[in-house]
């Protein structure tokens, strides 16, 4: 297992679950680097995260940006003990309204971008390191209008077992976390009209046994566990953080 001060890279780490995980890992002694693309959230992260957290602009669709992020991690940290591949977008749309441009964007960010970030940073991963993908309960629990987003995240989930086997000789663990309905900015950034957003979030909360949305911090706690040595014998798994979502009709 890695013995030096742990270092973590988090894609999509300027808001929501990614940012909450960055804060939690920093609290627990990790050196942390986060990426994002939105100028406003990048600026807020630079101002509000601890000053030694590295905040980088990176387009999750760009392999050139993935190369640049990997080189920055190499320069600053030397190696990585934790990689949280969290960057993602959601674009709810009925089948008949789906268009090629949106389909390509969602798959490029959610699947292609995260896979190639892993490829580019793989040489930096220390033996015994941990990789976690954000997937989501929508991959296995149907939601009308969610097929494109679920398909892109489901591609990651399908990769997890094979990657876990492939990286096991170096003791590198690969897992996924599937948040349920979590109170993060991804809902407001989805582009849904306010009335549709309110209807969907109300219906979602009503189907959760806990009767509420989860918090980004609650998901971050699970991610931090998977990234830590406490989960040293856990690989190839998908952990749902959903307040019991799906347990009742």
């Amino acid at each position: 297992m890695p013995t030096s001060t742990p270092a973590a890279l988090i894609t999509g780490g300027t808001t929501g679950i990614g940012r909450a995980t960055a804060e939690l890992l920093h609290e627990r002694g990790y050196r942390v680097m986060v990426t994002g693309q939105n100028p406003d959230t990048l600026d807020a992260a630079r101002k509000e995260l601890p000053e030694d957290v590295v905040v980088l602009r990176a387009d999750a669709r760009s392999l050139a940006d993935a190369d640049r992020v990997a080189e920055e991690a190499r320069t600053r940290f030397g190696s990585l003990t934790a990689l949280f591949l969290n960057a993602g977008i959601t674009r709810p749309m009925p089948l008949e309204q789906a268009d090629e441009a949106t389909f390509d964007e969602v798959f490029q960010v959610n699947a292609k971008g995260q896979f190639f970030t892993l490829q580019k940073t793989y040489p930096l991963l220390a033996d015994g390191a941990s990789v976690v993908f954000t997937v989501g309960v929508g991959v296995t629990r149907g939601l009308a209008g969610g097929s494109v987003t679920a398909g892109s995240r489901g591609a990651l989930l399908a990769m997890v077992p094979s990657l876990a086997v492939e990286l096991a000789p170096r003791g590198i663990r690969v897992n996924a976390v599937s948040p349920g309905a979590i109170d993060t900015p991804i809902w407001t950034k989805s582009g849904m009209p306010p009335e549709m957003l309110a209807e969907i979030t109300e219906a979602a909360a009503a189907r959760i046994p806990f009767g509420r949305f989860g918090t980004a911090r609650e998901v971050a706690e699970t991610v931090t566990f998977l990234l830590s040595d406490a989960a040293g014998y856990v690989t190839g798994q998908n952990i749902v953080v959903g307040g019991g979502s799906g347990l009742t009709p």
Side-chain angles (χ1 to χ4, degrees), residues 8 32 37 40 52 65 70 72 81-82 95 99 108 110 118-119 122 124 159 162 184 186 189-190 197 204 206 236 247:
V32 179
Q37 185 179 11
D40 294 333
D52 57 335
D65 279 8
E72 189 73 19
T81 49
L95 173 63
D99 61 88
Q108 286 170 359
N110 293 359
L118 173 58
Q119 183 195 69
Y122 176 63
L124 302 180
M159 295 177 192
S162 293
T184 74
I186 198 169
K189 292 190 297 185
S190 68
L197 178 62
L247 297 179

Side-chain angles (χ1 to χ4, degrees), residues 130-164:
S130 177
V131 178
V132 175
F133 288 98
T134 295
V135 177
V137 297
V139 170
T140 55
R141 298 169 192 171
L143 177 66
S147 58
V148 174
T149 299
S152 64
R153 293 296 201 180
L156 295 178
L157 185 59
M159 295 177 192
V160 165
S162 293
L163 287 169

Side-chain angles (χ1 to χ4, degrees), residues 212-229:
R212 65 170 177 86
F213 277 24
T215 68
R217 180 79 175 202
E218 287 171 321
V219 182
E221 290 281 2
T222 299
V223 174
T224 298
F225 163 71
L226 289 172
L227 293 174
S228 75
D229 288 348

Side-chain angles (χ1 to χ4, degrees), residues 191-211:
M192 285 185 284
E195 60 276 10
M196 180 184 295
L197 178 62
E199 181 180 342
I200 288 176
T201 54
E202 182 178 346
R207 293 195 299 269
I208 299 169
F210 280 0

Side-chain angles (χ1 to χ4, degrees), residues 25 41 48 75 84 90 96 106 111 146 158 174 177-178 181 185:
L25 289 174
T41 60
E48 297 166 10
T75 299
F84 182 27
T90 180
E96 65 272 17
V106 171
V174 183
V177 63
S178 282

Side-chain angles (χ1 to χ4, degrees), residues 68-86:
R68 181 171 53 82
V69 169
E71 184 55 35
E72 189 73 19
R74 182 192 305 276
T75 299
R76 291 179 179 267
F77 300 151
S79 64
L80 294 170
T81 49
L83 177 60
F84 182 27
L85 296 163
N86 174 68

